[in-house]
Amino acid sequence: MSFIGNELNINKKEIEQEIKADYEKLEIAYSQALVDEAVMVSCLQSLLAELEDHTELHIAYDNGSEKYIFDANELDRLACELEDYYDSLVEFPENLERDNFDEFHADLIDTVEEFCSEAPYINRDMFEQLCNEVEHGIDPEDEDYALYGTGNTREFDIAKLKNIEECFVEYLNELNSQLNFRI
């Protein structure tokens, strides 16, 4: 995870300074927990952007049809929710108050929970098969059913993508546990 974390270039100090400046204008105290939450959401946004860079990753079939591994619409839906939540954490703390949270972030908890349990953004079976083929090679007996090498799969660094997706899931589960604590 540190490999991916280092690549994200998330500057905790910069986020803390932004929160501090915005909260001082509003004459509201902020906590380290709030900063940590904002940093985690920022990391999720960066990982999500990495996944969005892979929405064109697809498998091609002999009949000419293509099947995409990532669902761009679902990734976009989560991106919008995270952006709104980050804005509340950093600039609009009043949106985090219990009375306002449900209004301003009505779908956040359900969306994050859905992404953790059902993973609508990814065809998990295809992705795992693809990662397995990249990592272990393709068994000659299974060559007819192999995914790696079809469509545009060779154009992407699948091993790095696997690390990104694993980190994304880890951060998303952490956010889910924190959001469920609010209920």
Side-chain angles (χ1 to χ4, degrees):
M1 187 161 100
S2 61
F3 166 72
I4 297 296
N6 291 337
E7 284 197 3
L8 293 177
N9 293 326
I10 303 300
N11 189 332
K12 184 176 179 175
K13 289 274 188 219
E14 190 176 295
I15 292 171
E16 185 170 7
Q17 291 302 320
E18 184 178 0
I19 289 173
K20 183 178 179 182
D22 288 336
Y23 278 50
E24 282 179 356
K25 286 181 203 170
L26 300 169
E27 298 178 1
I28 299 174
Y30 72 94
S31 67
Q32 190 58 46
L34 181 95
V35 172
D36 292 344
E37 181 93 354
V39 168
M40 181 177 51
V41 172
S42 183
C43 287
L44 261 170
Q45 288 175 305
S46 294
L47 290 165
L48 188 59
E50 291 280 341
L51 293 179
E52 287 176 325
D53 287 345
H54 293 83
T55 56
E56 294 299 315
L57 176 62
H58 67 272
I59 307 303
Y61 295 99
D62 291 339
N63 65 5
S65 65
E66 297 174 344
K67 189 156 188 176
Y68 289 83
I69 293 182
F70 292 100
D71 185 326
N73 293 327
E74 291 294 332
L75 291 173
D76 189 49
R77 179 170 65 112
L78 181 62
C80 291
E81 293 288 339
L82 291 176
E83 184 177 342
D84 290 345
Y85 185 49
Y86 183 83
D87 288 347
S88 290
L89 287 167
V90 176
E91 298 178 53
F92 306 109
E94 64 274 10
N95 295 350
L96 300 174
E97 295 171 5
R98 190 159 297 283
D99 298 342
N100 296 337
F101 190 88
D102 290 338
E103 178 185 343
F104 289 98
H105 303 292
D107 298 326
L108 177 67
I109 293 172
D110 290 339
T111 300
V112 170
E113 192 171 293
E114 179 186 355
F115 269 65
C116 288
S117 62
E118 298 172 24
Y121 66 95
I122 189 170
N123 184 320
R124 179 69 60 202
D125 292 335
M126 284 177 58
F127 185 64
E128 288 177 1
Q129 180 182 341
L130 182 62
C131 291
N132 190 43
E133 290 172 0
V134 168
E135 188 174 338
H136 302 291
I138 300 169
D139 187 332
E141 292 177 12
D142 298 327
E143 211 169 74
D144 290 342
Y145 306 103
L147 301 180
Y148 190 63
T150 70
N152 63 354
T153 56
R154 291 190 190 270
E155 296 174 21
F156 293 92
D157 184 344
I158 304 299
K160 181 179 177 184
L161 177 59
K162 181 180 178 188
N163 287 336
I164 291 167
E165 206 273 333
E166 286 172 353
C167 286
F168 176 74
V169 168
E170 187 177 324
Y171 277 107
L172 198 61
N173 282 313
E174 180 64 27
L175 178 62
N176 187 41
S177 69
Q178 292 180 17
L179 291 173
N180 282 324
F181 183 70
R182 292 186 62 85
I183 299 172

